[in-house]
Amino acid sequence: MRTVVVTNPPRADADAVDALAGYGVATVHEAMGRTGYLGPSIRPVHLGARIAGTAVTVLSWPGDNLMIHVAVEQCRPGDVLVVATTSPSTDGMFGELFATALQYRGVRGLVIDAGVRDVAELHAMGFPVWSAAVSAQGTVKATPGAVNVPVTIGGQVIRPGDVVLADDDGVVRVARESAAETVRAARAREEKEAATRAAFQRGELGLDRYGLRDRLAGMGIRYVDHADYAGADYAGADYAGADYAGGGEA
């Protein structure tokens, strides 16, 4: 690992970032073809926040928060601090004092593939955090790492300046070059979902709206009256080995 601090990386367009903040993580993830999601292990410390910002990235050694201190200086209003470690860690690398420094600089939140602490204080401050763990375990400031280099969380590569969108469903990354295009795709998906919601409110079934009814027979699904199902032809039938194909919208 090169121990560097990269200054002034390109950032996604601010208007596109703010527009993405209006859409949920699930919507943006689906709009991008189900890509960019950091996975279920990165969860909000408190529910109810939704943020979007440009990534300032940190690569630290486990149990060592030296490079977070270094990264604070590189943060601008509208950024989100994104922290990864060189190997798995659940130590409490971030707390209320870091959040105070970041709030002063206009940082919108933290995403960290490690632990955080001072949870009550973070909540009282209204500083949003998504983390892999909550832990009181302390850390040291001893080992150099890197700031504003690509990092990987949940199999997703996050580069400095990429868009990070986070809410109660988790975190998704949008490449900085694709931010405006993703806004358009998310808007189209939201309009589609609004039409589907209205149809469901009128009583339409997903079986019909998604064209699933004609596929059921091909999957081997049969409609059987209870009286017939209770008869000799179906009682005791073993479906445990039947093939199953799932998928579709929720």
Side-chain angles (χ1 to χ4, degrees):
M1 176 179 63
R2 295 179 62 191
T3 54
V4 298
V5 177
V6 180
T7 61
N8 300 312
R11 286 168 164 84
D13 176 74
D15 290 339
V17 174
D18 291 341
L20 283 171
Y23 301 100
V25 166
T27 296
V28 172
H29 168 63
E30 293 281 355
M32 294 193 299
R34 300 179 185 172
T35 62
Y37 177 48
L38 271 57
S41 65
I42 306 298
R43 300 296 303 145
V45 171
H46 298 102
L47 298 177
R50 177 184 291 177
I51 65 169
T54 44
V56 169
T57 62
V58 182
L59 184 59
S60 292
W61 285 78
D64 192 316
N65 66 7
L66 171 65
M67 298 311 294
I68 299 179
H69 285 280
V70 176
V72 171
E73 185 181 27
Q74 303 304 316
C75 291
R76 301 178 183 175
D79 284 339
V80 173
L81 190 64
V82 178
V83 181
T85 54
T86 56
S87 60
S89 176
T90 58
D91 294 343
M93 297 176 62
F94 183 98
E96 171 258 337
L97 294 178
F98 269 137
T100 300
L102 291 178
Q103 273 193 332
Y104 175 81
R105 304 184 77 84
V107 174
R108 293 176 175 175
L110 168 77
V111 174
I112 181 169
D113 194 12
V116 298
R117 58 185 187 176
D118 301 335
V119 169
E121 289 81 0
L122 293 173
H123 182 58
M125 294 171 63
F127 188 81
V129 170
W130 286 258
S131 72
V134 172
S135 174
Q137 177 63 49
T139 58
V140 299
K141 302 168 181 61
T143 313
V147 173
N148 278 333
V149 299
V151 299
T152 301
I153 298 177
Q156 301 297 322
V157 176
I158 305 167
R159 301 168 304 160
D162 283 348
V163 185
V164 175
L165 174 65
D167 64 16
D168 290 352
D169 291 335
V171 183
V172 68
R173 167 263 187 190
V174 179
R176 60 178 181 259
E177 302 90 346
S178 303
E181 176 185 349
T182 303
V183 171
R184 292 189 289 270
R187 182 183 302 118
R189 182 168 181 86
E190 190 171 73
E191 291 171 353
K192 177 183 177 183
E193 289 182 348
T196 298
R197 185 179 303 109
F200 286 170
Q201 290 170 341
R202 296 191 302 269
E204 186 175 350
L205 296 173
L207 284 172
D208 299 312
R209 185 162 189 86
Y210 299 140
L212 300 175
R213 195 176 297 280
D214 293 339
R215 295 167 53 189
L216 298 182
M219 295 177 179
I221 298 175
R222 300 177 62 185
Y223 285 79
V224 182
D225 185 86
H226 175 73
D228 293 330
Y229 179 77
D233 288 344
Y234 295 95
D238 182 7
Y239 295 100
D243 291 336
Y244 173 76
E249 299 179 10

